[in-house]
Amino acid sequence: MSGLNEAQGILEKVFGYASFRLSQQEIVDSLIAGKDALVLMPTGGGKSLCYQIPSLIRPGVGIVVSPLIALMQDQVIALRQQGIAAAALNSSLAPEEAQQVKQQLLDGELQLLYVAPERLMTEGFQALLQRIEIALFAIDEAHCVSQWGHDFRPEYIQLSALHENFPRIPRIALTATADEPTCREIIQRLNLSHAQHFISGFDRPNIRYRIASDNSNTRQQLLRFIQLDYPGQAGIVYCLSRRRVEETAAWLQQQGISALPYHAGFSQQQRAENQSRFLREDGVVIVATIAFGMGIDKPDVRFVVHMNLPKSLEAYYQETGRAGRDGEPAEALLFYNLQDVITLRQFVEQSDADEAHKRIESQKLEHMLGYCELTSCRRQALLAYFGDELQEPCGNCDICLDPPKTWDGTVAAQKALSCVHHTGQRFGVSYLVDV
Ligand code: ADP
Ligand code: ZN
């Protein structure tokens, strides 16, 4: 059987899907042929199959690098249910268990191995890998290698050595969020200059984008949104601070919504429990900081609400992208207020990062603001930011659905500035308004 037919067969028989999506098929082909690949595909696009299927077809084991232990476990369980010999190697294993996985590797019993980057790059493990047959290396969440990205993980930097240690093994780097500079950095740091690029459309047409201006009544607005538009449905509500997470979750609970809080201040066990209730029960609303969500694969999340402004469009896109992975209508609602802008600017100012980094962060924030202040289709602007073009306004964002009234403010602005000037440029807004 040719590689291609074999891939189609596995897609149907092992995974139970009729056809490949987006560029999955080309990516699979290219890996089977032993070539490197760089894959940019939106969340929910189906990145996993791109390396899982070639791992089953090529001789040897597919090694998947992933930064998230919880995600690894989920994937391994799912794969085993499909009859695939998969295992994970990370810090949650007892030494005997880890030893057992290594033995399976040496005996050639595994088809897929998920491994944390710091494990993979130890000398001992690299030596072990030299003794076995390897189908490919998949580097998931590849934007973690970029210092300009928003999830930088120092341990990813070492992955550049894979190319030197295993020059003949194809590598595939995958991410759902990378602007141009981040992409260039991935290519450079992971030595992927010969990789074929597969950039799939970023559009998530089933997600409706909406921005509401935040007035004092945001909580009530949130409650009405959940009760009227999405009663009994699963959703994620993002807040900037842990305190706001707890307050919002508690208040929603009082209003009869099954809401659960999640942030990095809770114990590991508490977080795992709330996450698993969100994944397994119906209609749970998780109220969380951005600590929640990477690698979460829940197809029927109907809404993602941002109670505070995200710090970049990358973050916004990634977080809203957790809605509607099943392709059914879903909604991304953002409450926008100027206080957040001030807070986020302060975060940037006060961070320990160097000047160049701060400049990039504040540019990202400006783009985010620009998006909130738009008077034209949001989806067009969002996609344009990622280098993707949408010809026509989308018809499924707040601006397309309810266009704002615009007016020529030149004269009013001149008058306002003149007032600032004539009062000596010393007074605040309220005084100037009185004048
Ligand atoms: P990503 O990692 O890109 O966010 P996943 O690999 O987790 O996406 O896939 C998202 C969902 O789409 C999963 O539930 C997966 O089983 C499903 N899926 C992937 N490829 C296909 C396909 N060709 N046909 C149907 N469903 C698919
Ligand atoms: Zn639109």
Side-chain angles (χ1 to χ4, degrees):
M1 215 185 329
S2 79
L4 200 57
N5 289 335
E6 205 179 343
Q8 178 68 34
I10 291 178
L11 180 72
E12 290 168 25
K13 290 194 198 71
V14 180
F15 293 95
Y17 300 131
S19 55
F20 283 108
R21 264 194 203 159
L22 298 170
S23 36
Q24 278 176 334
Q25 183 165 348
E26 293 160 81
I27 299 166
V28 166
D29 279 356
S30 145
L31 278 174
I32 293 177
K35 290 186 233 153
D36 294 340
L38 173 68
V39 173
L40 253 101
M41 202 185 268
T43 307
K47 284 185 284 302
S48 328
L49 285 187
C50 297
Y51 54 81
Q52 287 167 345
I53 291 182
S55 296
L56 301 185
I57 292 178
R58 285 176 62 87
V61 55
I63 308 278
V64 186
V65 187
S66 165
L68 296 148
I69 295 176
L71 169 68
M72 281 185 200
Q73 281 349 8
D74 285 355
Q75 292 243 17
V76 167
I77 293 169
L79 287 166
R80 285 189 184 151
Q81 279 167 357
Q82 278 148 335
I84 297 166
L89 205 49
N90 57 49
S91 55
S92 76
L93 294 192
E96 318 80 77
E97 293 174 305
Q99 195 47 47
Q100 198 187 349
V101 172
K102 286 181 188 163
Q103 195 55 50
Q104 284 179 305
L105 271 178
L106 287 169
D107 295 342
E109 283 172 5
L110 290 178
Q111 292 167 298
L112 273 160
L113 176 76
Y114 286 75
V115 57
E118 59 277 8
R119 278 266 163 154
L120 174 68
M121 300 316 291
T122 59
E123 235 169 82
F125 199 69
Q126 289 286 302
L128 186 153
L129 289 183
Q130 294 289 356
R131 294 165 59 194
I132 63 172
E133 190 156 29
I134 298 171
L136 56 86
F137 289 105
I139 300 162
D140 207 1
E141 313 284 359
H143 59 277
C144 292
V145 80
S146 159
Q147 281 176 318
W148 296 150
H150 52 98
D151 282 317
F152 175 56
R153 296 192 180 230
E155 60 275 19
Y156 259 62
I157 297 283
Q158 299 163 29
L159 295 174
S160 64
L162 282 181
H163 174 61
E164 287 125 50
N165 297 354
F166 303 93
R168 285 138 102 93
I169 309 292
R171 291 167 305 141
I172 171 173
L174 311 102
T175 174
T177 42
D179 56 9
E180 288 255 352
T182 310
C183 258
R184 279 199 298 274
E185 211 183 340
I186 294 175
I187 292 167
Q188 181 228 327
R189 290 200 187 269
L190 296 179
N191 278 313
L192 283 170
S193 49
H194 296 293
Q196 241 181 297
H197 297 186
F198 298 93
I199 318 261
S200 305
F202 275 86
D203 194 11
R204 300 283 311 281
N206 60 315
I207 299 180
R208 171 171 300 176
Y209 296 103
R210 263 180 61 197
I211 295 189
S213 60
D214 185 355
N215 48 38
S216 50
N217 237 344
T218 322
R219 268 196 197 172
Q220 285 292 346
Q221 286 192 59
L222 172 66
L223 180 64
R224 272 200 306 277
F225 171 77
I226 299 175
Q227 283 178 333
L228 298 179
D229 297 347
Y230 297 96
Q233 310 268 26
I236 306 174
V237 177
Y238 282 112
C239 306
L240 196 58
S241 72
R242 293 177 183 182
R243 204 178 90 200
R244 193 159 189 205
V245 163
E246 291 176 25
E247 287 170 0
T248 308
W251 186 78
L252 285 175
Q253 281 163 9
Q254 281 165 20
Q255 310 302 314
I257 309 277
S258 43
L260 294 173
Y262 186 105
H263 61 62
F266 288 113
S267 70
Q268 168 70 29
Q269 190 197 345
Q270 187 66 53
R271 273 182 288 159
E273 188 181 316
N274 287 359
Q275 171 169 328
S276 111
R277 284 190 53 194
F278 173 71
L279 291 176
R280 289 179 183 91
E281 290 175 20
D282 282 336
V284 172
V285 174
I286 198 121
V287 184
T289 59
I290 52 166
F292 179 81
M294 213 211 269
I296 294 287
D297 184 14
K298 183 174 171 62
D300 59 347
V301 176
R302 291 275 67 84
F303 60 88
V304 170
V305 176
H306 283 93
M307 299 297 280
N308 299 100
L309 193 69
K311 67 184 168 111
S312 66
L313 279 171
E314 283 90 343
Y316 173 75
Y317 180 82
Q318 190 172 51
E319 284 145 24
T320 55
R322 293 175 184 135
R325 293 174 76 165
D326 54 9
E328 299 295 318
E331 189 158 338
L333 171 63
L334 163 71
F335 290 106
Y336 168 46
N337 78 67
L338 288 170
Q339 181 54 47
D340 287 347
V341 181
I342 297 170
T343 311
L344 288 170
R345 278 197 184 131
Q346 281 167 351
F347 281 178
V348 174
E349 282 305 308
Q350 290 159 9
S351 81
D352 306 329
D354 55 46
E355 284 309 312
H357 201 155
K358 282 186 185 173
R359 205 161 45 242
I360 290 181
E361 297 276 295
S362 58
Q363 276 166 8
K364 287 188 191 269
L365 182 55
E366 292 307 317
H367 281 294
M368 187 68 232
L369 282 182
Y371 176 79
C372 294
E373 301 276 357
L374 282 172
T375 52
S376 57
C377 175
R378 297 215 199 264
R379 190 180 313 269
Q380 280 181 320
L382 187 59
L383 294 177
Y385 181 77
F386 291 108
D388 216 1
E389 193 185 348
L390 185 66
Q391 297 288 346
E392 298 289 323
C394 75
N396 194 25
C397 71
D398 54 348
I399 305 229
C400 286
L401 292 166
D402 186 13
K405 291 172 195 59
T406 56
W407 55 287
D408 184 346
T410 317
V411 176
Q414 281 166 348
K415 283 185 181 162
L417 287 174
S418 146
C419 177
V420 171
H421 180 71
H422 288 296
T423 49
Q425 305 190 33
R426 283 183 284 128
F427 295 99
V429 173
S430 3
Y431 181 79
L432 291 172
V433 170
D434 290 346
V435 171

